[in-house]
């Protein structure tokens, strides 16, 4: 959650950090896995550039994971937080 808040520049209508922190704390205390949702609009040019770089990274033979992470960073900025949710994780004991 803190990672997403660090990438955010704004909050959508009805979403604010204080309220989300309160809800996330309640979810966590109830043993739920939390997820913060954010968005960012892209121009066609931004998407085309990202898509090309992602394809190159995805098909790299050496350093694929590092390249994918670097390409992802180009989009994972200036996000608008739109909300948060939580789920019960029945696949892992004690989580």
């Amino acid at each position: 959650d803190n990672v997403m808040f660090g990438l955010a520049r704004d909050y959508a209508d009805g979403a604010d950090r204080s309220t989300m922190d309160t809800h996330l704390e309640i979810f966590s205390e109830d043993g739920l896995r939390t997820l913060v949702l954010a968005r960012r609009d892209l121009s066609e040019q931004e998407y085309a550039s990202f898509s090309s770089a992602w394809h190159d990274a995805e098909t790299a033979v050496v350093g694929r994971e590092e390249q994918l992470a670097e390409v992802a960073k180009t989009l994972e900025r200036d996000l608008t937080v739109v909300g948060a949710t939580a789920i019960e994780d029945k696949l892992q004991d004690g989580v």
Side-chain angles (χ1 to χ4, degrees):
D1 300 335
N2 288 329
V3 170
M4 287 301 290
F5 289 130
L7 299 172
R9 67 166 166 74
D10 197 10
Y11 294 86
D13 290 341
D16 67 79
R17 178 69 189 261
S18 176
T19 302
M20 276 203 224
D21 282 344
T22 300
H23 289 153
L24 290 169
E25 187 174 330
I26 292 168
F27 295 154
S28 177
E29 288 170 356
D30 288 343
L32 302 175
R33 285 193 176 249
T34 60
L35 176 65
V36 173
L37 307 169
R39 66 181 295 264
R40 179 171 163 233
D41 291 329
L42 301 176
S43 68
E44 287 185 32
Q45 181 180 0
E46 284 177 302
Y47 175 76
S49 177
F50 166 79
S51 182
S52 175
W54 185 263
H55 175 75
D56 291 345
E58 198 172 39
T59 57
V61 176
V62 177
R64 179 179 300 136
E65 293 302 316
E66 295 81 8
Q67 290 183 47
L68 288 169
E70 286 301 312
V71 173
K73 285 182 187 177
T74 65
L75 291 188
E76 294 173 343
R77 60 182 174 77
D78 301 328
L79 302 174
T80 299
V81 175
V82 295
T85 188
I87 61 166
E88 182 178 1
D89 187 346
K90 293 185 175 190
L91 299 177
Q92 295 185 35
D93 293 330
V95 176

